[in-house]
Amino acid sequence: MNFGFILRASVLAIPSAVIISSVTLAVSSVRLVMGPPPDPTPPPPTISVPRGEIPSGNVAFQEWVQYRDEGYSMVGCGFLLALNDGHVFGVTTAHSARPGDPRRPLERIRLHAQPSGYTVDFDAVYIPIGRPRDSDDLTVDYLLLHSDPDIDPAYVLWPDPRGAPLPGERVLLYKCLGGNGGGQHILGGTVQSVDGKAVWVLMDLPFSLAQWSGSGSPLVSEHTGQVVGMLVAGTLRERWMLLGMHPVRSLVQKAAAATVSVRLVDYMPE
């Protein structure tokens, strides 16, 4: 199982961050240097929008990819996101599945919910597509998958109309679990910082390789019950994990502008 989670570990004696890209978090031999302590947590904000219900169903999907002449392999997580017009997209990261390699054509991306077994197969992606991030701008890392109109609404999430959470706000990460038993793990955290390029969240539990894999997982506001971001990256703060999210405002803007899709196997980067 290859989770393409991008992890950044900072060292006190080194001014720049150490970037570990496309790391396989399931590998127990990975060694990480603990970074500085986390910044102070912002105080709880005043949230003016109405409260909503927290998703109770199986909304974090395993992401499986199939390259030509190969079987399916699990590479991360994903979810289904609806716009106000009701159009539903499959959403995941660009660094977990990389279409456009003529030496290894990507034919299909499968989002598979466990334990329900509900599955959605995608063979087309909206263009322009995202790319693995190589800076602090997490909005470049995304894939929007073209879905069949016949999607079960019980598995669909809606974007928070605010476009992002507030510093100090409580949020929940719905992370898919690997294997046929699968399922999802819901992990709490507090928003540390927000800007147009990233949302950073300090998670409640100490760091563990098994827990924090799962790029492409949705981040949900505890207040509205709606999506505020997608997991892309992480930074160690001592033994605590600071997770970086692609803000949902950016995902919605990209989805609203998406009018052209191309088959995954036919996609070639410019």
Side-chain angles (χ1 to χ4, degrees):
M1 174 171 38
N2 177 25
F3 285 99
F5 184 70
I6 301 177
L7 187 73
R8 181 172 64 190
S10 301
V11 186
L12 282 170
I14 301 176
S16 60
V18 178
I19 304 296
I20 305 173
S21 184
S22 297
V23 61
T24 303
L25 287 186
V27 178
S28 61
S29 62
V30 173
R31 298 183 64 189
L32 301 172
V33 178
M34 298 301 173
D39 295 332
T41 301
T46 299
I47 302 175
S48 58
V49 297
R51 283 191 173 275
E53 294 185 6
I54 300 297
S56 58
N58 198 167
V59 296
F61 287 73
Q62 297 174 346
E63 179 193 6
W64 296 75
V65 296
Q66 184 183 41
Y67 295 93
R68 180 172 294 168
D69 300 324
E70 298 182 26
Y72 278 99
S73 58
M74 186 176 172
V75 296
C77 302
F79 59 100
L80 299 172
L81 183 69
L83 299 188
N84 288 336
D85 62 5
H87 193 107
V88 177
F89 294 79
V91 183
T92 187
T93 58
H95 71 258
S96 60
R98 304 188 184 190
D101 184 352
R103 300 164 299 179
R104 197 185 184 205
L106 177 60
E107 295 186 333
R108 191 170 287 103
I109 295 176
R110 170 173 291 176
L111 295 185
H112 181 64
Q114 287 281 19
S116 73
Y118 182 69
T119 298
V120 184
D121 285 335
F122 303 89
D123 62 4
V125 63
Y126 284 96
I127 54 175
I129 73 168
R131 57 178 174 79
R133 70 106 179 185
D134 55 7
S135 69
D136 290 335
D137 185 358
L138 305 189
T139 65
V140 303
D141 199 332
Y142 69 94
L143 289 180
L144 298 175
L145 307 173
H146 184 276
S147 70
D148 187 296
D150 187 21
I151 294 288
D152 188 337
Y155 295 88
V156 176
L157 295 172
W158 292 82
D160 192 304
R162 298 173 298 159
L166 296 172
E169 184 172 346
R170 292 290 299 167
V171 290
L172 299 170
L173 180 71
Y174 282 68
K175 189 182 77 67
C176 73
L177 301 177
N180 291 329
Q184 66 183 10
H185 196 180
I186 303 174
L187 302 162
T190 302
V191 177
Q192 294 290 92
S193 65
V194 180
D195 61 33
K197 297 181 178 179
V199 173
W200 289 95
V201 178
L202 185 67
M203 304 307 292
D204 294 343
L205 298 178
F207 172 74
S208 112
L209 289 174
Q211 282 180 335
W212 298 123
S213 55
S215 54
S217 297
L219 184 75
V220 171
S221 166
E222 280 193 10
H223 184 91
T224 66
Q226 296 171 319
V227 178
V228 291
M230 174 182 68
L231 175 59
V232 172
T235 299
L236 282 178
R237 289 293 183 259
E238 291 187 337
R239 62 194 187 95
W240 304 96
M241 177 57 73
L242 189 66
L243 295 182
M245 312 287 171
H246 185 145
V248 76
R249 177 183 293 109
S250 168
L251 289 172
V252 168
Q253 290 172 344
K254 290 173 171 59
T259 57
V260 178
S261 63
V262 62
R263 290 202 313 159
L264 286 164
V265 73
D266 295 331
Y267 171 73
M268 293 297 295
E270 298 179 357

